[in-house]
Amino acid sequence: MFLSFLFLRRKASAMVPENQTQFSDFILLLFSENPDQEGLLFGMFLSIYLVTIVGNLLIMLVVGSDSHLHTPMYFLLSNLSFVDTCVVTTTVPKMLVSFRTLNKAISYADCLTQMFFFSLFAGLDHFLLTAMAYDRFVAICHPLRYAVMMSSWFCGLLVILSWSLAFLNAFLHSLMVTRLSFCTNNQIHHFFCDLPEIMKLSCSDTLINYIVLYFASGLVGFIPLMGILYSYVQIASSIIKIPSVQGKYKAFSTCGSHFCVVSLFYGTVFGVYLTSSFTNTSWRSAVVSAIYAVVTPTLNPFIYTLRNKDIKAALRRLVGRKTSSQ
């Protein structure tokens, strides 16, 4: 993967003069052109970024240090926390630097790099959420076969497959962008180098790029969503058949956190799509994208810690060990 990334970056740098691009930098317009508002935005996004990093790292630490959580569900959760950390790290630090320095320029190669990694980690979110939905489906619908169907090697295979598919998707989009020319307009009405926004600036034919974009979006977004919906239809059907109310509540509580995360994730995804499709106001699209790319990864740790008894118990054990050691 690293060699492929170096190839993309080298090709991006080489394509600037080859495509006769009249500029070497893009300008990220962010959320506001008023310098007086950028101090407030800097503080807000810095706080969100720190909370996201601390929250997701805490989940990874708790899952890794507590043997009670060495199960498929929490293994996938720790991977999701790692990806959420990477998502915000891809976009927020550059935005914070721009707020402080008032320099909104980003080089062509850096823009392509940011776009590649955001596409990679956003795609990973789709696949990992699908894998977690399958885990909950097996746990509730086939509890007696859970240990066999969700073995450690199969969980590892799911993660490797998720990384591979997400990488191929991001690499394909980045490779397609390197064939585009950019002539006059270099202002991106966004807070990061998002693929659709970059394609809007191209002065060359983008038909093939849009075909690839919609086809890949169907594979990376629609198919995992269908898998998640199928899993929850089967889960709901199994829960309805449980005779006792307590049994139904216990079964639902095992997938409640994941259901909330999925609803939040795909709700913001559709919000980004609808906003970009039905409004011409660029700042609204950027705000909705910020909820999807920045706020959602921040809320995930709270959803899992506040609603999950195992995580809260592991946190108490971790704090107890630290206190006793002192």
Side-chain angles (χ1 to χ4, degrees), residues 12-89:
S13 301
M15 288 295 286
V16 175
E18 185 176 323
N19 279 338
Q20 297 181 342
T21 305
Q22 296 180 5
F23 51 86
S24 58
D25 295 333
F26 288 107
I27 304 298
L28 293 171
L29 296 182
L30 305 177
F31 299 98
S32 172
E33 296 183 2
N34 186 354
D36 296 335
Q37 297 178 356
E38 295 189 349
L40 177 63
L41 290 172
F42 173 82
M44 181 180 69
F45 279 102
L46 177 60
S47 301
I48 292 174
Y49 180 65
L50 293 177
V51 169
T52 305
I53 296 298
V54 171
N56 284 292
L57 288 180
L58 185 60
I59 286 182
M60 288 187 282
L61 175 64
V62 169
V63 172
S65 62
D66 197 307
S67 59
H68 296 86
L69 301 182
H70 292 175
T71 62
M73 180 176 72
Y74 295 111
F75 170 72
L76 295 173
L77 173 60
S78 62
N79 278 272
L80 181 66
S81 296
F82 173 75
V83 171
D84 283 342
T85 302
C86 294
V87 167
V88 294
T89 303

Side-chain angles (χ1 to χ4, degrees), residues 226-278:
M226 291 299 101
I228 292 172
L229 291 177
Y230 174 79
S231 297
Y232 272 102
V233 167
Q234 297 300 314
I235 289 171
S237 177
S238 298
I239 291 177
I240 290 174
K241 296 177 183 177
I242 299 176
S244 66
V245 176
Q246 184 178 1
K248 291 180 180 180
Y249 175 78
K250 184 177 180 180
F252 180 77
S253 64
T254 63
C255 59
S257 298
H258 178 262
F259 181 78
C260 292
V261 170
V262 167
S263 301
L264 179 64
F265 178 78
Y266 280 101
T268 53
V269 168
F270 286 126
V272 172
Y273 172 75
L274 293 175
T275 303
S276 61
S277 299
F278 298 105

Side-chain angles (χ1 to χ4, degrees), residues 190-227:
H190 220 295
F191 66 95
F192 72 99
C193 292
D194 195 19
L195 174 61
E197 297 297 324
I198 295 175
M199 289 167 57
K200 290 178 183 178
L201 303 181
S202 176
C203 57
S204 56
D205 185 11
T206 57
L207 176 61
I208 297 178
N209 291 71
Y210 277 107
I211 292 174
V212 173
L213 174 63
Y214 291 133
F215 179 74
S217 298
L219 293 178
V220 175
F222 183 74
I223 293 179
L225 178 59
M226 291 299 101

